[in-house]
Amino acid sequence: CPTAGARPCNGKDFGHGSVVCACSAAYCDTLDPVVLPAPGAFVRYESSKAGKRLERSEGTFQHNAGTPDFHLTLDTARRYQKVKGFGGSVTDSAAINILSLSREARDHLLRSYFSEEG
């Protein structure tokens, strides 16, 4: 299962056309820290059913490129809002499942979800 991270995905196929990364008490994949690109460049993270998990790629914006299939206009003088982060929730059913894990597996899961260190 390819990934750009420090530790690759331990991919498991459950037969439904997609791959999931499985963590255990002994191992859990991690990603490299997010680094902002230089001005005029972008970073794309892609996940797929085929097994990509936040695969990083970089590129640069081309000014006035004549591509008929895609056109993006950026107005850098106009700002709408700042993104401080993305979140999630832990429901009661998720908590029950988390508590059913071994202490080591639970530690991997919670660190991968909440820690900046992975």
Side-chain angles (χ1 to χ4, degrees):
C1 189
T3 185
R7 287 186 281 178
C9 168
N10 178 18
K12 300 251 183 209
D13 184 351
F14 289 96
H16 298 286
S18 63
V19 175
V20 297
C21 299
C23 292
S24 68
Y27 183 84
C28 198
D29 62 311
T30 59
L31 300 172
D32 288 328
V34 174
V35 178
L36 294 176
F42 65 86
V43 174
R44 178 180 74 185
Y45 290 91
E46 182 180 0
S47 296
S48 71
K49 284 186 173 184
K52 288 183 182 179
R53 181 176 183 271
L54 297 172
E55 188 173 291
R56 180 186 168 111
S57 62
E58 299 182 22
T60 57
F61 291 104
Q62 298 176 7
H63 296 281
N64 299 319
T67 56
D69 58 339
F70 182 76
H71 182 78
L72 174 67
T73 302
L74 298 176
D75 182 357
T76 58
R78 192 167 184 184
R79 305 279 172 134
Y80 293 96
Q81 64 191 36
K82 289 184 178 182
V83 176
K84 293 186 177 183
F86 296 91
S89 64
V90 178
T91 63
D92 54 347
S93 58
I96 290 168
N97 287 319
I98 292 168
L99 288 172
S100 71
L101 299 172
S102 70
R103 182 177 177 169
E104 293 83 6
R106 187 170 55 240
D107 186 54
H108 278 295
L109 173 69
L110 295 175
R111 284 185 188 279
S112 69
Y113 196 83
F114 294 107
S115 172
E116 291 185 21
E117 295 141 14

